[in-house]
Amino acid sequence: MLHLEDIKPGLALEGVEPFRVVTVEFVKALTPDSIQVFYRPPEGGVKECNLTRMNEGDLRLATQERPWAFDETARRSSWRWRPSASTSHSCSTR
């Protein structure tokens, strides 16, 4: 959850548009409990919306996640690399 005061230009936000990440371009305070946000959606262009304290629960910083990750550590893995006789002397130190 973000507070309205935390929204600044350059932030990537979730919750402004459903299921999309937008980039904040400009923020204008309207009242102590509302702001006008100009933002850039993924397809480009600039849009604007008014956000109030009621929207704070929906807003969060967007995080960049890796499409994959290693879930198991090498220590716990059942696979072990063991050098064979042919590869144990493959490096030359000339």
Side-chain angles (χ1 to χ4, degrees), residues 29-51:
L30 300 175
T31 70
D33 295 324
S34 68
I35 60 174
Q36 184 177 27
V37 177
F38 293 84
Y39 63 92
R40 191 171 304 276
E43 70 274 1
V46 175
K47 295 183 176 182
E48 63 91 21
C49 70
N50 292 339
L51 299 175

Side-chain angles (χ1 to χ4, degrees), residues 74-88:
R75 182 173 48 90
R76 292 178 47 204
S77 177
S78 60
W79 181 83
R80 299 279 189 249
W81 180 77
R82 292 182 175 89
S84 66
S86 63
T87 60
S88 61

Side-chain angles (χ1 to χ4, degrees), residues 11-32:
L11 289 180
L13 296 180
E14 295 176 350
V16 176
E17 288 191 5
F19 310 108
R20 301 179 78 185
V21 174
V22 302
T23 303
V24 177
E25 295 292 323
F26 181 76
V27 180
K28 178 182 177 182
L30 300 175
T31 70

Side-chain angles (χ1 to χ4, degrees), residues 66-74:
R66 295 175 291 174
W68 54 269
F70 292 109
D71 293 331
E72 194 168 332
T73 62

